[in-house]
Structures are given as structure tokens and as C-alpha cells.
Amino acid sequence: PTATATATPVPNEAPQVLRADVYVGSPGAEIRYPIGATDPDGDALQFLSESLPEGASLDSATGVFSWIPTPEQVGPF
């Protein structure tokens, strides 16, 4: 008889957000910052959100959020 080695599957770990900063902006002034995140497994990250303020964008490859709020958008988001 021969012995056969079997690999134990390693579970995929979820990415971690490195910080959740609070930013204060003014109407007409751009807010721009990278979302800091890492993956414990070293997998490539893709950034997405289903609830961005109107006119805001999130670069899916770099995680950079950018937005120029309007006077009608004053308040917490």
C-alpha cells in the first residue's frame, strides 16, 4: 500500500478596513481620500459601494473616494 497526502484547505479570510476616518467638507470643495484596506491572504482587492452620495465616486481598483458635495448635500453621509 502507498500513502497519499491530502492538502487541508485553508479558509479565505475577509479583507480588513484599516481605518474609518471622519472627513469634514464644504459645499463645492472636493473631498478625496483612499479607503485603506488589506487582505490577510494577499488577494487583490476590489472596492465597491452601493450607497455613495449622489455625485461621489469610488475607484474600484485603487479605493480612492472622491466627491464634491453641493449645498443641498450638507449633512452627515
Side-chain angles (χ1 to χ4, degrees), residues 16-24 33-37 77:
Q16 303 294 313
V17 174
L18 300 177
R19 64 176 194 255
D21 294 335
V22 174
Y23 290 84
V24 177
Y33 62 91
I35 305 295
F77 282 88

Side-chain angles (χ1 to χ4, degrees), residues 1-58:
T2 56
T4 304
T6 58
T8 303
V10 177
N12 185 35
E13 294 186 47
Q16 303 294 313
V17 174
L18 300 177
R19 64 176 194 255
D21 294 335
V22 174
Y23 290 84
V24 177
S26 300
E30 183 179 27
I31 299 170
R32 182 178 184 86
Y33 62 91
I35 305 295
T38 187
D39 186 273
D41 303 310
D43 296 332
L45 297 175
Q46 181 178 17
F47 298 85
L48 59 101
S49 174
E50 295 178 359
S51 61
L52 294 175
E54 186 175 336
S57 66
L58 180 62

